[in-house]
């Protein structure tokens, strides 16, 4: 237990002040955080590999990441349909409140 605690970069002096439940919560959380960090590094390495592949084999088709993409425009809405949905929702709330009385 102590070696796991210290292996997760936790201070050895804090080990003696935690309960078993706290130990379990802390170590489980740290292990999950390290796993997520490794997954993030794997994704970054894979993306780097793809960019290197473009750079060596076909640099003209390499994507330009320096340009910011335009934000997506919201879909057009039908005001009449939105009003009907609102009216139906309010009627449903009204009838649900009347059921109990």
């Amino acid at each position: 237990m102590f070696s796991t605690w210290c292996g997760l970069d936790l201070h050895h002096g804090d080990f003696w002040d935690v309960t078993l439940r706290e130990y379990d919560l802390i170590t489980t959380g740290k292990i999950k955080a390290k796993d997520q960090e490794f997954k993030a590094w794997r994704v970054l390495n894979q993306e780097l590999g793809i960019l290197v592949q473009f750079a060596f084999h076909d640099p003209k088709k390499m994507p330009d990441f320096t340009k910011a993409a335009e934000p997506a425009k919201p879909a057009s809405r039908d005001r009449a349909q939105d009003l009907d949905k609102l009216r139906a929702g309010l009627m449903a709330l009204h009838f649900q409140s009347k059921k109990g009385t």
Side-chain angles (χ1 to χ4, degrees), residues 21-98:
R21 176 155 171 71
E22 291 171 338
Y23 170 84
D24 183 47
L25 291 172
I26 293 169
T27 55
T28 303
K30 286 287 243 179
I31 290 170
K32 286 181 182 179
K34 287 218 181 240
D35 288 344
Q36 291 299 320
E37 184 180 350
F38 287 135
K39 286 180 184 178
W41 277 108
R42 285 186 193 122
V43 169
L44 286 174
N45 283 330
Q46 183 179 10
E47 290 174 356
L48 178 64
I50 291 170
L51 290 176
V52 168
Q53 179 184 4
F54 269 112
F56 277 109
H57 298 291
D58 201 0
K60 292 180 183 175
K61 291 186 180 179
M62 188 166 176
D64 186 14
F65 295 106
T66 59
K67 296 180 182 176
E70 293 182 17
K73 295 180 181 177
S76 61
R77 301 184 69 140
D78 183 14
R79 288 183 176 266
Q81 188 178 17
D82 289 345
L83 183 61
D84 289 341
K85 286 181 183 178
L86 176 64
R87 190 173 290 143
L90 291 174
M91 287 174 58
L93 287 173
H94 172 73
F95 290 127
Q96 284 178 356
S97 69
K98 295 288 183 176

